[in-house]
Amino acid sequence: MKKVFVVLCVILLIVFVISIGVGSVFIPPLRVLKALFSLIGFKVAGVNEMDLTIIGQIRLPRIIIAMIVGMSLSVAGALVQGLYRNPMADPGIIGTSSGASLGAISCIALSLNTVNIFYLPAFSFVGALLVSFLVYRLATKNGRTPILNLILIGIAVSTFISSINSLILSNINQYQVSEYIFWMLGGLDSRSWTHVKISFVPLALLILCSLIFAKRINILILGEEESYTIGVNPERLKKRLLILVSLLTGIAVSVSGAISFVGLVTPHILRLIVGSDYRKLIPASILGGGIFLTVCDTIARVLFSPIEVKVGIITSIVGAPYFLYLLKKRENEVTI
């Protein structure tokens, strides 16, 4: 199993270097490495000043955002799948995505996104958190939160909020509709060091926190009665996991827009490779999510260059068919 993690780490490193070099101006990997070492303070001979400008000011912050957002969405997906004991679940099931959408469209409808670039991510983050906690409170009765209640109320609240979003959409101008659609497609264009500063540390800390829950999720999957017997309070664990997932997804979506399939496909694929033990699945999902979204973002940048495709479109195009293929393959194996 150690080989799997070594391979994932190597792939992540290779993807990081290559994605920095790929773009309208191609920079070979050796020049990328020289520029990176120079940017972190090492004295490196023969560093191209233009490389430093392109990498340091444009590509590096974007790649860092792609990796940390991919890791966050992937881990959030793995946690939700453990919480619901269902490998087909994703963070959207607890209303996080619909809440973020409501926050985003509210900000656009009030034209606050034109006042300050941070208002749109702030609104989407707050919307994601508020709706997630609303779903949790509505699903909780007498101190217990049955999973079925959580799923049904999550679906109902998400549907209701989608209707509110449609109502707002029908009453805003064409420019604002376009802004909202671009946000819904998800994109990492124009991401700068400012976005890195506001999102990297909190997301990195939350990702590390997720590792703490790995063993307890393994126990939760055995069943709630078994969890009580072993000494794990399932209600307390569910609450903490929901808070963690809401924060991970809310902060990630606030800087990237709504990027679909990362939280569903990546942990599911890695589960087929490393198994369902969350002590292995969560670290694998961290690495896999970073790889997946960075590769998709690189494709989005170069596929129709100089026109850039939204990365959310690429994640859907790449993720959906591969996910269906894996499902079909597993069905055939079960049948045999």
Side-chain angles (χ1 to χ4, degrees):
M1 192 55 66
K2 286 182 180 177
K3 289 182 180 177
V4 174
F5 289 103
V6 171
V7 169
L8 286 174
C9 288
V10 171
I11 294 174
L12 185 67
L13 185 61
I14 292 172
V15 166
F16 177 71
V17 173
I18 291 178
S19 61
I20 289 176
V22 172
S24 55
V25 176
F26 176 72
I27 304 173
L30 184 59
R31 276 168 49 189
V32 170
L33 290 173
K34 282 184 177 180
L36 289 174
F37 279 115
S38 179
L39 286 170
I40 59 177
F42 289 97
K43 291 184 178 179
V44 183
V47 178
N48 188 315
E49 286 298 324
M50 189 175 75
D51 292 350
L52 287 178
T53 303
I54 293 173
I55 293 173
Q57 296 182 16
I58 301 172
R59 293 185 188 169
L60 188 56
R62 177 172 180 155
I63 301 304
I64 291 173
I65 289 288
M67 285 200 165
I68 197 72
V69 167
M71 291 175 176
S72 302
L73 294 177
S74 178
V75 170
L79 295 177
V80 169
Q81 290 169 10
L83 175 66
Y84 288 96
R85 295 168 224 157
N86 186 337
M88 305 296 289
D90 77 346
I93 205 167
I94 58 172
T96 311
S97 302
S98 58
S101 300
L102 180 60
I105 197 171
S106 299
C107 180
I108 292 169
L110 295 170
S111 298
L112 293 175
N113 58 313
T114 61
V115 177
N116 189 304
I117 61 168
F118 294 110
Y119 283 173
L120 183 58
F123 268 68
S124 58
F125 172 63
V126 171
L129 285 188
L130 289 179
V131 173
S132 299
F133 282 109
L134 174 65
V135 170
Y136 176 75
R137 292 301 303 167
L138 291 174
T140 302
K141 187 176 181 181
N142 299 325
R144 295 179 68 88
T145 313
I147 295 297
L148 183 59
N149 277 10
L150 208 54
I151 294 173
L152 294 176
I153 291 175
I155 293 171
V157 170
S158 295
T159 304
F160 175 74
I161 289 178
S162 295
S163 302
I164 299 293
N165 289 347
S166 299
L167 188 63
I168 297 174
L169 268 175
S170 62
N171 287 283
I172 58 179
N173 61 46
Q174 191 60 44
Y175 175 76
Q176 291 172 320
V177 172
S178 301
E179 287 280 304
Y180 176 67
I181 291 173
F182 275 121
W183 184 88
M184 282 297 294
L185 291 174
L188 299 170
D189 47 299
S190 303
R191 294 301 177 267
S192 64
W193 286 112
T194 304
H195 295 91
V196 175
K197 288 176 183 175
I198 63 173
S199 63
F200 184 83
V201 172
L203 286 177
L205 291 175
L206 291 168
I207 288 170
L208 291 175
C209 281
S210 68
L211 296 168
I212 300 171
F213 293 99
K215 187 176 179 181
R216 278 175 277 180
I217 295 174
N218 283 342
I219 296 172
L220 181 66
I221 292 172
L222 298 175
E224 296 194 9
E225 295 302 324
E226 289 80 359
S227 299
Y228 274 118
T229 305
I230 298 172
V232 173
N233 185 325
E235 295 304 323
R236 189 183 303 158
L237 180 57
K238 283 184 218 171
K239 188 175 181 179
R240 290 176 179 176
L241 287 176
L242 285 170
I243 292 172
L244 183 56
V245 169
S246 300
L247 290 172
L248 274 168
T249 310
I251 297 173
V253 169
S254 72
V255 293
S256 67
I259 298 177
S260 57
F261 266 106
V262 181
L264 177 62
V265 173
T266 312
H268 189 83
I269 292 172
L270 290 165
R271 191 188 307 277
L272 298 176
I273 298 171
V274 303
S276 297
D277 184 342
Y278 272 75
R279 291 170 297 180
K280 300 171 184 172
L281 182 59
I282 290 178
S285 296
I286 294 171
L287 297 170
I291 294 169
F292 180 64
L293 191 57
T294 306
V295 170
C296 288
D297 183 53
T298 304
I299 295 171
R301 284 193 287 124
V302 302
L303 187 62
F304 297 111
S305 180
I307 298 172
E308 188 170 309
V309 180
K310 288 290 181 181
V311 68
I313 297 172
I314 302 298
T315 58
S316 299
I317 290 174
V318 174
Y322 190 58
F323 182 62
L324 291 173
Y325 161 74
L326 290 173
L327 278 180
K328 199 67 183 174
K329 183 180 176 184
R330 195 171 68 165
E331 281 178 6
N332 293 336
E333 289 173 353
V334 171
T335 302
I336 292 171

